[in-house]
Amino acid sequence: MMPDLEEYKWIIPDFVWELDELIDFEKLLKALPDADDLARLLPDFDKIGDSLASLKGFLSPGSPGETAFRATDQGYDNDKQFKKVSDKEKIDQLQEELLRTQLKYQRMLERLEKENKELRKLVLQRDDKGIHQRKLKKSLIDMYSEVLDILSDYDASYNTQDHLPRVVVVGDQSAGKTSVLEMIAQARIFPRGSGEMMTRSPVKVTLSEGPHHVALFKDSSREFDLTKEEDLAALRNEIEIRMRNSVKEGCTVSTETISLSVKGPGLQRMVLVDLPGVISTVTSGMAPDTKETIFSISKAYMQNPNAIILCIQDGSVDAERSIVTDLVSQMDPQGKRTIFVLTKVDLAEKNVASPNRIQQIIEGKLFPMKALGYFAVVTGKGNSSESIESIKEYEEEFFQNSRLLKTSMLKAHQVTTKNLSLAVSDCFWKMVRESVEQQADAFKATRFNLETEWKNNYPRLRELDRNELFEKAKNEILDEVISLTQVTPKHWEEMLEKTLWERVSTHVIENIYLPAAQTANSGTFNTTVDIKLKQWTDKQLPNKAVEVAWETLQEEFSRFMTEKKGKEHDDIFDKLKQAVREETIKRHRWNERAEDSLRVIQHNALEDRSISDKQQWDAAIHFMEETLQSRLKDTESVIEDMVGPDWKKRWLYWVGRTKEQNIRNETKNELEKLIKCNEDHPAYLANDEVTTVRKNLEARGVAVDPCLIKDTWHQIYRRYFLKSALNHCNLCRRGFYYYQRHFVDSELECNDIVLFWRIQRMLAITANTLRQQLANTEVRRLEKNVKEVLEDFAEDNEKKVMLLTGKRVQLAEDLKKVREIQEKLEAFIEALHQEK
């Protein structure tokens, strides 16, 4: 009575055919009952057939028995009616006996399958422990799933579409899609909620056979033991977290696919994709485009001509309320790749007034859609804590007692998720065999086109994909960072000293030198200088010096990163280098202890007043002259802007003065007269002097504000003071001899030269200290930060996609993926032929 299974040998792995090496089947056969004993267990079908035939002939219209009955009296008619009732009861009894026999053998078959499953599990476990020394090959379904994973990331910009088969699970929200998937996977692996949308992104589930019931994600090495409730809870939580992370802000669902593999004894090998449930109305809390997004996701998967559509319909609700059936009929109008599944049949049978309506649904008469097959399943009593085993028992018990089977509305192979799983798996592998070679040829043609395009556009460049380009750029960046260690100490110190003086010169001139120069004698000058230098060193100078050193390091680092290397320079790395530089600078922090040690060094340098030789004296004079000339030049420029062009520029360039500039010019002339009258005038104008200048200007018809007079005086006096200081500086060129004698018996005083020598020496010592910190500590820490940034970028694919862009990169990426897909498809086809 068993069917011929020769055509299905490819379903069973190789090791099953080697079971005779491990199990003594002769002893097993002797222990089983013989054919005669089995025959006694069966009912006499010949007698049952004869009885049914005689009853049919006896009860058929126009038979001799009926004619004979008509000739009898009324009492005999009553007896005839009684016999008809008895015959009907006999038919019902025979039908029930036939159904019981069928269920009996169904249980026997299930028991044998269970024993087979245990034996296969035992063999797989022993194989894992190394009893078989043969090398285990990757399973067919795993090879196929890898191809689909690569295709999900592939941007088919060259009209190479993904037409490889997979089982697409679609249905209305809360129709039972997830429950059907869990029954097929034999584990409660998906998060669930009462009426809430739980499937927020496509979930690709690869089912395969294995010795242990486990699940794992494609991007993780952790295995979840599906026989343990804590692992199941952790898996459901992980899936929910991944779904929520994949959903962008302001959206409800995501197009990003979550890839999951489930292995276990007795699982049918296939790839299923669970899609978000189709909704009719957008409720509160959802994005406005949620309905359209779900439709577009469903259509994108279903429009694959080789995809098997598993259409899930809730049997407990009116068929007319279904949305998904219209969508499926649009995508597969002939029903050549659609399998229709009616869920919650137990509720449907209980609530539907007419059982024929369920039959019409199952047979597809209530819908415009057509299908390859129609199935009815029960996925539990609505309790989320039910185990898979209890649901199976309930499903089997329900269909044993269901009117749908007793009245032959459904056939035995159309019920239970087990039969559904077998049918879907058969359909899946049939579709794979029919289409996989055609897809391999399509990718082969795409590969040829891409290789031709590369040769034409980039004949002298290697085909480096994004990861390979990143590694090349990484090496270049590390080489450039190492170049920082090759900068000479002299170059560092010159840059540091120059930049530091640019930053502090204004403070030294305006807040230290000018106020001290207004004092009456040298003693007061030195006291004022010492106090202000001490305050400056304690509060501002060390911090300013560290800032300068960090900015100098940044400038040198940026110079090396942006410097073009001649013909070898590849501008494709520019964005990446800039991002690495910015992120490194953001992360780098100068050593906190540097300021404390620097403060002590600067304080000691500024306290020293001992100029040891004439060369240092002349260097200090030169430094002071350069500083004062620079300030004088700036002051002259400010005055020129205030008073406008002089007579020469007015005649040569044909420009004039504004009204305010004329007033400023008159004020300037009046103030210059005041300084000529008193060359030792202090830095500030007295109130009576301001009044005098204003009245003199008004006498000439120039109305002027006192604030304008003071503002103009500040610049005029500053110019006068800087010129006087330069003249004094020139006089001090021969003052080193007097300095050594502490200016005894001399009217010449050169305390300002000593001040600038102290500043110059402090700058040199600070630059030297900062250079040591750079070379010994900060450059190495910067290099470490660069490596950390590069490691972080290497793990962030989105960052690499954003920073390494262009046609060349995309072409190399497509070429790499197409080659990988083609090679894996060819390996899969070879393995498929070997198994067949």
Side-chain angles (χ1 to χ4, degrees), residues 347-487:
L347 299 177
E349 188 180 58
K350 187 186 300 183
N351 299 331
V352 175
S354 174
N356 292 331
R357 186 172 177 83
I358 298 177
Q359 185 179 12
Q360 290 176 340
I361 296 173
I362 292 294
E363 293 176 355
K365 294 179 180 178
L366 285 182
F367 301 110
M369 60 170 279
K370 299 176 183 179
L372 277 174
Y374 299 87
F375 288 85
V377 298
V378 174
T379 54
K381 300 178 182 179
N383 185 1
S384 60
S385 61
E386 288 179 287
S387 67
I388 296 295
E389 289 299 323
S390 64
I391 294 174
K392 281 184 178 179
E393 292 173 3
Y394 172 68
E395 184 182 43
E396 182 181 339
E397 181 184 351
F398 167 77
F399 283 116
Q400 285 178 7
N401 302 316
S402 173
R403 288 177 295 167
L404 300 173
L405 276 182
K406 288 182 178 180
T407 56
S408 300
M409 291 183 186
L410 293 175
K411 298 177 183 179
H413 70 271
Q414 288 184 288
V415 297
T416 72
T417 48
K418 181 177 181 180
N419 289 333
L420 169 65
S421 178
L422 289 168
V424 173
S425 180
D426 287 344
C427 188
F428 169 76
W429 283 107
K430 180 183 176 184
M431 192 73 81
V432 167
R433 285 182 171 79
E434 290 175 353
S435 61
V436 69
E437 292 190 5
Q438 181 182 357
Q439 285 295 295
D441 292 339
F443 278 103
K444 187 176 181 180
T446 304
R447 175 177 175 175
F448 175 78
N449 294 338
L450 292 173
E451 287 176 343
T452 304
E453 185 175 356
W454 183 275
K455 289 175 184 177
N456 292 334
N457 290 299
Y458 312 104
R460 298 182 181 179
L461 294 177
R462 285 179 56 203
E463 299 164 4
L464 299 178
D465 61 27
R466 189 170 277 111
N467 290 329
E468 292 169 332
L469 285 170
F470 182 83
E471 287 300 317
K472 184 179 178 183
K474 177 181 176 181
N475 293 331
E476 283 190 15
I477 292 170
L478 292 176
D479 289 342
E480 288 160 359
V481 175
I482 292 173
S483 299
L484 282 172
T485 60
Q486 299 172 359
V487 177

Side-chain angles (χ1 to χ4, degrees), residues 32 92 112 209 217 274 352 407 508 618 628 643 785 831:
L32 293 173
D92 292 340
L112 289 172
E209 192 171 35
F217 295 96
D274 185 23
V352 175
T407 56
V508 170
D618 292 340
L628 295 180
V643 301
N785 287 336

Side-chain angles (χ1 to χ4, degrees), residues 670-686:
E670 192 68 24
L671 292 173
E672 285 176 345
K673 293 178 185 177
L674 185 63
I675 289 177
K676 285 180 181 179
C677 295
N678 183 11
E679 293 183 353
D680 295 329
H681 197 286
Y684 300 99
L685 278 176

Side-chain angles (χ1 to χ4, degrees), residues 481-482 484-485 492 553 588 773-784:
V481 175
I482 292 173
L484 282 172
T485 60
W492 278 123
L553 179 59
H588 189 82
Q773 290 181 0
L774 280 169
N776 298 335
T777 307
E778 299 304 327
V779 171
R780 294 177 184 175
R781 292 178 64 233
L782 184 71
E783 183 180 353
K784 181 182 176 183

Side-chain angles (χ1 to χ4, degrees), residues 309-327:
I309 303 171
L310 196 62
C311 179
I312 309 297
Q313 168 65 35
D314 188 348
S316 64
V317 299
D318 294 337
E320 291 79 6
R321 291 165 58 186
S322 174
I323 308 169
V324 73
T325 49
D326 291 336
L327 182 61

